[in-house]
Amino acid sequence: MSTDEGLSLDEGVRTLLLLMPRLVGRAKRMPVPEPLRMLDLAPRHLSLLSYLLFDGPLTVNELAARLEVAPATVSLMVGDLSRKGVVNRREDEADRRRTIVSIAETNREAVDAWLARGACAWRSALEPLTSEQRRVFVETLRSYERAVTGDGE
């Protein structure tokens, strides 16, 4: 592997083809905290909860835009999580047609614990980079996702 000039395209592809399955496998094995274990939460829930944890309470439409799914899909997810006591729903005082979603205080610590290991790992990996290098890295991952799903065509 070249170290003086970086990686060739083929070396980069090979390295990432070998690395990505390990990363995904390790992420899937991150233990779900005990209070959340019996709730049968899926990866899609993790993304929704991440937005609520990092950005605070959001409307269903804001969550839908961030998750890039239909508001009806988010409504179903929120309904499911609400029945399980993971999130709270309330009407927006300014506009009663809107629903504001937040993490239930009883589960905030468990949700934070579930996401903390991944957040700390990303912080450790991204911290040494410049803001421009971080932007390129994140955009590269987004580009890869689009190419894999066919959204880039």
Side-chain angles (χ1 to χ4, degrees), residues 38-46 48-49 60 72-89 101 107:
M38 301 307 288
L39 300 179
D40 195 31
L41 300 178
R44 67 182 184 279
H45 295 121
L46 184 63
L48 184 144
L49 292 170
V60 168
T73 302
V74 172
S75 290
L76 291 171
M77 289 171 55
V78 167
D80 185 38
L81 291 171
S82 178
R83 281 188 296 283
K84 293 176 180 182
V86 179
V87 300
N88 293 325
R89 294 184 288 191
V101 183
N107 284 305

Side-chain angles (χ1 to χ4, degrees), residues 120-131 133-134:
C120 288
W122 278 119
R123 187 171 300 284
S124 174
L126 294 173
E127 189 202 20
L129 305 177
T130 66
S131 62
Q133 289 170 323
R134 285 191 289 270

Side-chain angles (χ1 to χ4, degrees), residues 22-44:
R22 290 197 325 253
L23 288 174
V24 170
R26 288 190 173 113
K28 285 182 176 182
R29 287 191 303 271
M30 282 193 322
V32 177
E34 185 63 39
L36 302 176
R37 217 169 270 157
M38 301 307 288
L39 300 179
D40 195 31
L41 300 178
R44 67 182 184 279

Side-chain angles (χ1 to χ4, degrees), residues 49-56 66 103 108 112 115-116 119 123:
L49 292 170
S50 294
Y51 281 120
L52 294 175
L53 184 67
F54 292 119
D55 300 341
R66 291 173 192 206
I103 297 173
R108 179 170 291 284
D112 189 34
L115 297 170
R123 187 171 300 284

Side-chain angles (χ1 to χ4, degrees), residues 86-151:
V86 179
V87 300
N88 293 325
R89 294 184 288 191
R90 65 177 170 81
E91 289 179 344
D92 184 347
E93 294 298 322
D95 182 351
R96 296 211 182 267
R97 295 171 296 171
R98 295 183 347 165
T99 300
I100 297 178
V101 183
S102 60
I103 297 173
E105 279 306 314
T106 55
N107 284 305
R108 179 170 291 284
E109 192 175 311
V111 170
D112 189 34
W114 193 20
L115 297 170
R117 188 171 187 175
C120 288
W122 278 119
R123 187 171 300 284
S124 174
L126 294 173
E127 189 202 20
L129 305 177
T130 66
S131 62
E132 176 62 13
Q133 289 170 323
R134 285 191 289 270
R135 187 195 62 73
V136 169
F137 176 77
V138 170
E139 185 50 41
T140 300
L141 289 178
R142 285 184 176 141
S143 178
Y144 172 79
E145 178 190 27
R146 286 190 301 271
V148 165
T149 59
D151 292 344

